[in-house]
Amino acid sequence: MTKLTHEAKGTYAIAPTPFLEDGRIDERSIDRLTDFYAEIGCNGVTVLGIMGEAPKLDGNEAEEVAKRFIKRAKNMQIIVGVSAPGFAAMRSLARASMDAGAAGVMIAPPPTLRTDDQIVGYFKQAVDAIGSDIPWVLQDYPLTLNVIFTPAVIRKIVTDNPSCVMLKHEDWPGLEKISALRGFQKDGSLRPLSILTGNGALFLDFEMERGADGAMTGYAFPEMLIDVVQLMKEARRDAAHDLFDAHLPLIRYEQQPSIGLAVRKYVLQKRGIIVSSAQRKPGSTISATAKAEVDYLLSRVARVDRRADMRPQSSAAG
Amino acid sequence: MTKLTHEAKGTYAIAPTPFLEDGRIDERSIDRLTDFYAEIGCNGVTVLGIMGEAPKLDGNEAEEVAKRFIKRAKNMQIIVGVSAPGFAAMRSLARASMDAGAAGVMIAPPPTLRTDDQIVGYFKQAVDAIGSDIPWVLQDYPLTLNVIFTPAVIRKIVTDNPSCVMLKHEDWPGLEKISALRGFQKDGSLRPLSILTGNGALFLDFEMERGADGAMTGYAFPEMLIDVVQLMKEARRDAAHDLFDAHLPLIRYEQQPSIGLAVRKYVLQKRGIIVSSAQRKPGSTISATAKAEVDYLLSRVARVDRRADMRPQSSAAG
Amino acid sequence: MTKLTHEAKGTYAIAPTPFLEDGRIDERSIDRLTDFYAEIGCNGVTVLGIMGEAPKLDGNEAEEVAKRFIKRAKNMQIIVGVSAPGFAAMRSLARASMDAGAAGVMIAPPPTLRTDDQIVGYFKQAVDAIGSDIPWVLQDYPLTLNVIFTPAVIRKIVTDNPSCVMLKHEDWPGLEKISALRGFQKDGSLRPLSILTGNGALFLDFEMERGADGAMTGYAFPEMLIDVVQLMKEARRDAAHDLFDAHLPLIRYEQQPSIGLAVRKYVLQKRGIIVSSAQRKPGSTISATAKAEVDYLLSRVARVDRRADMRPQSSAAG
Amino acid sequence: MTKLTHEAKGTYAIAPTPFLEDGRIDERSIDRLTDFYAEIGCNGVTVLGIMGEAPKLDGNEAEEVAKRFIKRAKNMQIIVGVSAPGFAAMRSLARASMDAGAAGVMIAPPPTLRTDDQIVGYFKQAVDAIGSDIPWVLQDYPLTLNVIFTPAVIRKIVTDNPSCVMLKHEDWPGLEKISALRGFQKDGSLRPLSILTGNGALFLDFEMERGADGAMTGYAFPEMLIDVVQLMKEARRDAAHDLFDAHLPLIRYEQQPSIGLAVRKYVLQKRGIIVSSAQRKPGSTISATAKAEVDYLLSRVARVDRRADMRPQSSAAG
């Protein structure tokens, strides 16, 4: 597997960690999920992120999960989320993942960081801890992580740490931030940097227009992410928005705080990609009413995008 | 003007406070805005809410703005946001508004409230302060207000305070909360209560299906809110979703924290309803790129909903 | 009254706002309190701060309270807290206070500020709003205000705004911050600035040693503040600590979040300086047990500092 | 080692985790520290708490540290902090510690809990995870943990979970909370519960008077904690306060957020109990000026309490 560089682009799926009903890790579903991402054409997969329920795994489990994804991946880069309350755990997962063949790691800030100096200082220490030879992704997700990065702070982190090659952009609002960073690059004050966008893809349409290199998020139909990124690359603006808009009602439904993962696992299970939608505790579940709402949204997406058709094969074919 | 009761339903627009470029209150635009809401068929208008930049007005200005809306309103109920850091200001605006003919007031919690008891206690004190004869709306908007109400706490507030007649529901996620409250009513543990939903209408479609009585939010095309509420009332589910989905890309764009008001004032100005999109400091503005993005979204909405057609009259007619 | 300058030093008391039992402003107690501060030798008094329950007054009341203190003050500078959710109210109170003879105003940041740029930008807008001719005090109190200033941000605010003449320092921990700011002045990167310290005087002993110019806080025995500041100025270190340490058990008791004001008003009432310890709602009260604890602490302070002797005059004389 | 019960009382020291300068765990200092606590008469020691830098250890290290303390302890109960972002790690450390002979475990809430129901629900899940046979301590420390427990919520947790035998009380302000809980026990609504108090001992004097059973905190002179607890038990109120007040200037200095641990490790190193004051990153350090301030405070404590005399042995003996 090649190492992650600032030239990364396209679609990197954020993978959930599949569990069995009793809370054990479901290794077969990891394989199936990895194959699925490869088959539809993802450029990479990010594992053990927020959506991967990473804090619920102990150190050994985290390493096993990362290795299983890495071993199974074909022609895709695996990025491993290594965020941890302490640098000992961060380092050991990062090094083990890279040794196993990961393309890079992703680091989110702890929620205690407030001032610009605290933020910049933290990432310097994190790089000291994991080693400056590991390419890494900076995660900027204030809604969940509660840390606010200005464009100038991102520039400083990228400049201070040559091994930072990518920004997982998911600020909200965030469009002007992409423009500001691309502006820094035009004026020569920021070196090349890959920007992939998350936040459930809620603004993927305009993020691409503002200069993002692609998507890195966990929407349960990553096929759409791939197509929108591709259509935008081909400058087929209206077609990209048409496809995006058809999915937006479901994207929005998935991007609800705290229950979003339950929605995604429900859809992935319905699609036959993972065996169970179970989460480890403390986890979220969705009601029967919510499931019916998701089903209705899927049926509406399917009017435009046949891949969302969840009806039994025979009738779908009819 | 009739007083607000638990039977309120339909669409209540959240009004911005129009300013002139130099920061003075734009009274003519208040009139025009009020007329606009009346003409399209709003059941009411809520003024001096978060979107109304209420904290930027001093006490006298707030009273003047409220009175101007009230005086101009025809066949619509005016609800006045009276949230304030202290009860002296809250009481004086509430009583002046009611004397001038308001239908009721709206109260949001201060961000310091944490425990269930603190929340319940605060609203008891607020009702003591304004007087128990004034019908009021409880605002539940955690994303912005940072106070978390469980369904049981809402039930307790409603039960403790007979003058609480409406919930402005804008929790996120919030669909299960509506179901829980309607469930309390079915099991007899909660008296009748009007539930109108906010959060920029991002979930209006399913909120109506879950039992909401209508919408109370500031989307710049309140005509859509009125129609979706009406279609849902008529049980025309697919038609309601079709209309809603056509607007969703713009709804989502408007509902970005901190810049949402700038987007709304831009659209209202573009529609010729207010003279200026100016906000008082500290305020937000949107870039030329953002304006072009909004224009593009409007043109896309217009393909389905002609009312969003912003092109010069002659060409629109062509 | 002279205007506040960067040469201010000594002790500025933070005054509570005295209320009658029914919540009305107690003007006679304002006069008595002002006289008390003058008699013991305060250099100034800060009114309408956090401890002054400022947000519970409406605009007209705030102006009246400020004017009453200003009119009564003799040989003392009055600083008026003008922090407000909006600049309209901030400006009108600031200008009215200065017109009435205030020495300067104090501004605290709103809790929403997070990044360095947001903080710096806010104070620029505030100075624009009140006018650059009004000398002002920057309040740095993260525990209560939830905004974190680095030394470099304070330097930037002071440099950007020539009318900022004083820092009310009450960060916790905060000793290194004073050293850092005094270091900036030594290396020529920061102009002269008065630093008075608050945080209930919990660290006044070492703050003076680190370079503070005096105290600005609401401890109910401001006589101690004056003496410690004076002793430190005379380099009588041990004597200063001896006096400070005798008061520390009570200082600590007063500096409890949310109930501190109730303790202070209880002591000031007991000393006969204000008529009632009443607070406006939402306010705090202390139990009979807590009052007995305060009484016990007072009796212990009195063993070292006779001024804390609260026993009836005759027995005290015995 | 006996299991922890609701009858626990006296002084339980909160132990730091000693590291060598290079960040490795210093096992010899663990032994020495344990011996020190036993020699002075502590009833127990709590390890891997906030002060123990627990999140900076990986799972295996945490287990080793806990076992080392347990193995070395003589006549003292060891309580192991098992708070973790996920239940997998919490369970594995809890069970390993109990198997090794720990007396019980301590659990702190994650910072995301807000409503009463969320708090109650979390501890139910935690007990499910570790097993209901392990006696545990509920940590209530809002200043650091950002979760607010009302007395009623604590009662509910204790009632729901028979294995909860102790409250580590460190709310601020917190005296009324102790009175409320003891009141619940008097009225029969709460079963027996040990209450030990923390918060750096800042209010130990009055906490004992309100009904606490003892102290559980990390003050670097636990001898004082033991003596104050004992004096209060003997109802020697003035003597208890005299001793407490002599230490209060240092207690206060230690209880500064974020740098408190650096002060404590500095004092423990100075006392010859641990080899190095090093913390793992991200950690805090104190300046030479701060060290001199601590030295000065120690010399002042030593005037009253000889045990704080840090002068070289010969001169101290002189």
Side-chain angles (χ1 to χ4, degrees), chain A residues 172-173 176 202-203 205-206 210 237-238 241-242 244-245 249 252 255-257 287 289 293 296 300, chain B residues 172-173 175-176 202-203 205-206 210 237-238 241-242 244-245 249 252 255-257 287 289 293 296 300:
Chain A
W172 183 49
E176 298 300 334
L202 207 53
F203 286 87
D205 48 351
F206 290 113
R210 294 287 188 123
R237 186 187 201 192
D238 289 343
H241 280 276
D242 286 346
F244 178 83
D245 287 359
R252 162 213 58 165
Q255 191 56 0
Q256 295 178 80
S287 66
T289 307
E293 290 167 343
Y296 179 67
R300 291 179 60 83
Chain B
W172 182 51
L175 297 176
E176 298 300 335
L202 208 53
F203 286 87
D205 47 352
F206 290 113
R210 294 288 188 121
R237 187 189 200 191
D238 289 344
H241 280 277
D242 287 345
F244 178 83
D245 288 359
R252 161 213 58 165
Q255 192 54 3
Q256 295 178 79
S287 67
T289 307
E293 289 167 344
Y296 179 67
R300 290 179 60 84

Side-chain angles (χ1 to χ4, degrees), chain B residues 134-138 157-158 161-167 191-193:
Chain B
I134 299 183
W136 61 282
V137 180
L138 174 63
I157 294 169
V158 172
N161 303 286
S163 56
C164 178
V165 297
M166 182 187 286
L167 174 69
R191 64 172 168 81
L193 176 73

Side-chain angles (χ1 to χ4, degrees), chain C residues 172-173 176 202-203 205-206 210 237-238 241-242 244-245 249 252 255-257 287 289 293 296 300, chain D residues 172-173 176 202-203 205-206 210 237-238 241-242 244-245 248-249 252 255-257 287 289 293 296 300:
Chain C
W172 182 50
E176 298 301 334
L202 207 55
F203 286 87
D205 48 351
F206 290 113
R210 294 288 187 121
R237 186 187 201 191
D238 288 344
H241 279 277
D242 287 346
F244 178 83
D245 287 359
R252 161 212 59 166
Q255 192 55 1
Q256 294 177 81
S287 67
T289 307
E293 290 167 343
Y296 178 67
R300 291 179 59 83
Chain D
W172 183 49
E176 298 300 335
L202 207 54
F203 286 87
D205 48 352
F206 290 113
R210 294 288 187 121
R237 186 189 203 192
D238 289 344
H241 280 277
D242 287 346
F244 178 83
D245 287 359
L248 184 55
R252 161 214 56 165
Q255 191 56 2
Q256 294 177 79
S287 66
T289 306
E293 289 167 344
Y296 179 67
R300 290 178 61 83

Side-chain angles (χ1 to χ4, degrees), chain A residues 109-264:
Chain A
T112 46
L113 305 179
R114 293 292 298 268
T115 67
D116 292 0
D117 289 351
Q118 287 170 342
I119 298 169
V120 167
Y122 179 81
F123 286 98
K124 209 160 208 163
Q125 289 190 320
V127 171
D128 282 352
I130 63 170
S132 60
D133 56 321
I134 298 182
W136 60 282
V137 180
L138 173 64
Q139 187 174 19
D140 176 14
Y141 195 14
L143 181 67
T144 294
L145 300 172
N146 204 20
V147 173
I148 316 227
F149 296 79
T150 61
V153 161
I154 294 171
R155 177 172 56 185
K156 178 133 185 61
I157 294 168
V158 172
T159 302
D160 286 359
N161 302 286
S163 55
C164 178
V165 298
M166 183 188 285
L167 175 70
K168 182 175 200 296
H169 163 94
E170 34 195 352
D171 199 353
W172 183 49
L175 297 175
E176 298 300 334
K177 186 177 272 186
I178 298 174
S179 295
L181 292 169
R182 291 311 188 205
F184 288 161
Q185 293 179 319
K186 266 180 211 137
D187 73 24
S189 66
L190 177 64
R191 65 173 168 79
L193 177 73
S194 172
I195 302 179
L196 300 191
T197 68
N199 196 22
L202 207 53
F203 286 87
L204 177 62
D205 48 351
F206 290 113
E207 286 162 347
M208 291 304 298
E209 299 187 21
R210 294 287 188 123
D213 294 304
M216 184 191 282
T217 191
Y219 182 54
F221 279 90
E223 299 94 325
M224 181 279 291
L225 305 176
I226 293 169
D227 291 351
V228 167
V229 167
Q230 182 62 27
L231 287 166
M232 283 294 184
K233 195 180 155 190
E234 296 168 8
R236 295 171 58 195
R237 186 187 201 192
D238 289 343
H241 280 276
D242 286 346
L243 177 61
F244 178 83
D245 287 359
H247 283 265
L248 185 55
L250 180 57
I251 289 173
R252 162 213 58 165
Y253 200 98
E254 264 196 24
Q255 191 56 0
Q256 295 178 80
S258 87
I259 63 166
L261 177 58
V263 177
R264 285 176 179 172

Side-chain angles (χ1 to χ4, degrees), chain C residues 214-258:
Chain C
M216 184 190 283
T217 191
Y219 183 54
F221 280 90
E223 298 95 325
M224 182 278 290
L225 305 176
I226 293 169
D227 291 351
V228 167
V229 168
Q230 182 61 28
L231 287 166
M232 283 293 184
K233 193 180 155 189
E234 296 168 9
R236 296 171 59 193
R237 186 187 201 191
D238 288 344
H241 279 277
D242 287 346
L243 178 60
F244 178 83
D245 287 359
H247 283 265
L248 184 55
L250 181 56
I251 288 172
R252 161 212 59 166
Y253 200 97
E254 264 195 27
Q255 192 55 1
Q256 294 177 81
S258 87

Side-chain angles (χ1 to χ4, degrees), chain B residues 74-92:
Chain B
K74 289 187 180 61
N75 302 321
M76 291 190 304
Q77 293 186 310
I78 301 293
I79 298 170
V80 179
V82 297
S83 309
F87 289 134
M90 186 187 291
R91 174 185 169 80
S92 93

